[in-house]
């Protein structure tokens, strides 16, 4: 097949890790006979420096005219001042809105070869295979906000605001995903306190009733934070609002041991999906060849599966990652010093994975 993939390296370690994912995609193209056109564009701080905008029009046109977008990460100390009018994360939020990708999928799967990389006990993390579906284009990050003065005190507020339609489509998305997995879905809310969560639960209950083949449950977000540590392997698909998802996915990432292992896909009803590692631009590691590229490589595998419908190719990439880990290769973040392990840099890790595709 022919496919055009927009590649946005971004800032910090972004260019290094994205280069490894591109190496892997090119290898998949060679082995399986596909013609992938990888076209690079500017986003985040790099785009601000070059054009004054975090998401230049040229990048927007590139993304909407492609089959999928692969992104590294944005941000860094140079642009970190929250008072700056133009900031790198505007590029990311703008891209999500532009592509209308309302469902952010974050799988957490623990490799049997990395049980000891997690701060949790191996018997707790062994066998964990869950996906968090985070609502991405609504909620408190987009609701009304402001500041005002009352009785001589400065106040600030942000509004959690969801429509039935926004909740319905993301819960349905989670149910469809659960159907292809272990048929269990958990909706996470704070319905004992928040009105927006009461609507969320009402809509989720109604969507669940249309999926009698699924086992479904509602979990309060505070309890969910605890269960993710105590019994993470009991979850299959979890669905939640934008802010709850932001927080719980970082918590869930620790189950797998390193942020450098976790991919993500952002999807909507449109054609173009956005794929990126869940971590940021780790500026202190930029240019040192120490960052773990596996989260970005696994994001490329999700791109093959969800945007290009190349399931066999996606599995080939995931198996290659497992093979490299089984053989003992580790970047610094997942290296434990055990005798069977060999520490490798970003570039070498990418090459090792690429070599194992079709080998
Ligand atoms: P971060 O995810 O960049 O780094 C947190 C820590 O995780 C790092 O210190 C590092 O130890 C580790 N880490 C992350 N990715 C790794 C990798 N691939 N390999 C090895 N270790 C890795 O988060 P931060 O330090 O809070 O933020 C740094 C910058 O990234 C900030 O400017 C922030 O705004 C930005 N950020 C961007 C995104 C994004 O682009 N999606 C997300 C979060 C943060």
């Amino acid at each position: 097949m022919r496919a055009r993939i927009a590649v946005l390296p971004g800032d910090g370690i972004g260019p290094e890790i994205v280069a490894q994912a591109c190496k892997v995609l090119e290898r998949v193209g060679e082995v399986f006979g596909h013609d992938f056109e990888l076209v690079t564009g500017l986003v985040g701080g790099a785009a601000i420096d070059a054009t004054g905008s975090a998401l230049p029009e040229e990048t927007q046109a590139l993304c909407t005219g492609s089959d999928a977008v692969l992104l590294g990460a944005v941000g860094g100390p140079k642009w970190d001042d929250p008072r700056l009018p133009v900031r790198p994360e505007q590029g990311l939020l703008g891209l999500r809105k532009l592509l209308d990708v309302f469902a952010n999928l974050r799988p957490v799967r623990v490799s049997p070869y990395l049980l000891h990389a997690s701060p949790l006990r191996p018997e707790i993390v062994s066998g964990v295979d869950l996906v968090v579906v985070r609502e991405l284009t609504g909620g408190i990050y987009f609701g009304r906000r402001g500041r005002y003065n009352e009785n001589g005190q400065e106040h600030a507020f942000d509004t959690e605001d969801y429509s039935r339609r926004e909740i319905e489509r993301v819960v349905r998305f989670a149910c469809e995903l659960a159907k292809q997995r272990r048929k269990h879905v958990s909706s996470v809310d704070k319905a004992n306190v928040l009105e927006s969560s009461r609507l969320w639960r009402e809509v989720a209950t109604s969507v669940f009733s249309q999926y009698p083949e699924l086992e479904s449950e509602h979990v309060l977000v505070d309890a969910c934070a605890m269960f993710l540590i105590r019994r993470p392997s009991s979850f299959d698909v979890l669905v939640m609002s934008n802010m709850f998802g932001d927080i719980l996915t970082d918590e869930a990432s620790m189950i797998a041991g390193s942020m450098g292992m976790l991919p993500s896909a952002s999807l909507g009803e449109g054609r173009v999906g956005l794929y990126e590692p869940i971590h940021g631009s780790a500026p202190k590691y930029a240019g040192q060849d120490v960052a773990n590229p596996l989260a970005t490589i696994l994001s490329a595998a999700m791109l093959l599966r969800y945007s290009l419908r190349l399931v066999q190719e996606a599995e080939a990439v995931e198996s290659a990652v497992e093979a490299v880990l089984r053989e003992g290769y580790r970047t610094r973040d997942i290296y434990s010093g055990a005798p069977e392990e060999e520490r490798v840099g970003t570039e070498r890790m990418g090459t090792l994975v690429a070599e194992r595709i079709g080998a």
Side-chain angles (χ1 to χ4, degrees):
M1 86 179 292
R2 283 179 72 91
R4 183 175 151 102
I5 301 168
V7 176
L8 312 181
D11 309 314
I13 58 171
E16 295 165 68
I17 54 177
V18 163
Q20 305 319 308
C22 288
K23 199 188 274 178
V24 167
L25 284 172
E26 273 159 8
R27 174 80 181 157
V28 168
E30 272 164 39
V31 170
F32 291 87
H34 302 303
D35 183 4
F36 297 146
E37 188 194 355
L38 307 175
V39 189
T40 305
L42 288 168
V43 74
I48 296 175
D49 287 353
T51 70
S53 158
L55 186 64
E57 271 170 30
E58 203 179 316
T59 303
Q60 296 183 32
L62 166 66
C63 294
T64 52
S66 297
D67 296 291
V69 180
L70 179 68
L71 184 120
V74 299
K78 187 172 171 193
W79 312 276
D80 258 356
D81 184 346
R83 290 164 306 188
L84 286 176
V86 186
R87 294 175 42 79
E89 59 274 16
Q90 288 167 354
L92 206 53
L93 295 177
L95 207 48
R96 291 170 181 168
K97 274 281 181 202
L98 176 74
L99 302 175
D100 196 21
V101 283
F102 60 82
N104 179 226
L105 269 68
R106 295 184 170 194
V108 179
R109 196 177 296 144
V110 179
S111 163
Y113 312 109
L114 290 183
L115 290 182
H116 292 279
S118 173
L120 299 180
R121 287 200 305 274
E123 66 269 27
I124 297 222
V125 296
S126 170
V128 169
D129 179 7
L130 60 86
V131 184
V132 176
V133 179
R134 166 187 171 193
E135 200 290 327
L136 202 58
T137 50
I140 198 163
Y141 296 166
F142 296 95
R144 273 193 310 271
R145 70 188 72 219
R147 292 192 186 206
Y148 63 97
N149 281 296
E150 197 173 88
N151 301 329
Q153 283 294 316
E154 189 179 14
H155 293 242
F157 66 94
D158 301 274
T159 320
E160 175 83 343
D161 187 334
Y162 271 113
S163 67
R164 273 187 185 273
R165 173 176 169 267
E166 284 174 315
I167 302 168
E168 218 248 25
R169 64 182 186 176
V170 75
V171 175
R172 190 171 295 286
F173 192 101
C175 290
E176 289 295 327
L177 188 65
K179 257 169 63 176
Q180 299 158 31
R181 293 174 43 96
R182 299 197 308 280
K183 301 191 170 37
H184 187 279
V185 58
S186 313
S187 170
V188 179
D189 63 37
K190 186 72 184 168
N192 53 341
V193 180
L194 303 176
E195 197 53 41
S196 51
S197 273
R198 285 195 268 272
L199 180 65
W200 183 284
R201 189 172 286 212
E202 222 175 281
V203 175
T205 303
S206 144
V207 175
F208 286 166
S209 71
Q210 296 158 35
Y211 290 87
E213 68 273 43
L214 300 181
E215 204 184 316
S216 57
E217 63 173 349
H218 301 280
V219 190
L220 290 173
V221 63
D222 37 350
C224 189
M226 184 177 67
F227 296 149
L228 276 171
I229 300 293
R230 201 165 73 190
R231 50 171 177 82
S233 56
S234 70
F235 291 111
D236 179 12
V237 176
L238 299 103
V239 59
M240 61 195 77
S241 66
N242 204 340
M243 183 168 67
F244 293 164
D246 194 2
I247 299 167
L248 291 192
T249 47
D250 265 26
E251 182 193 358
S253 75
M254 280 296 100
I255 298 169
S258 171
M259 303 266 270
M261 290 302 301
L262 296 182
S264 83
S266 301
L267 305 167
E269 275 142 18
R271 201 172 51 91
V272 190
L274 173 64
Y275 301 85
E276 55 181 317
I278 75 151
H279 59 73
S281 58
K284 66 181 177 201
Y285 295 152
Q288 293 177 34
D289 194 40
V290 295
N292 186 346
L294 294 180
T296 316
I297 290 172
L298 291 169
S299 302
M302 293 184 86
L303 182 157
L304 293 168
R305 175 175 286 116
Y306 294 113
S307 277
L308 307 187
R309 308 270 168 217
L310 298 174
V311 176
Q312 204 190 339
E313 288 79 346
E315 283 169 0
V317 174
E318 288 158 356
S319 304
V321 168
E322 275 306 288
V324 164
L325 294 173
R326 187 178 59 238
E327 290 163 37
Y329 297 106
R330 304 281 186 270
T331 43
R332 191 166 72 179
D333 55 310
I334 50 175
Y335 178 70
S336 75
E340 66 276 15
E341 292 182 357
E342 182 181 337
R343 200 163 121 176
V344 296
T346 311
E347 163 92 44
R348 174 101 196 281
M349 188 55 121
T351 303
L352 286 163
V353 174
E355 284 170 356
R356 276 149 191 75
I357 292 167

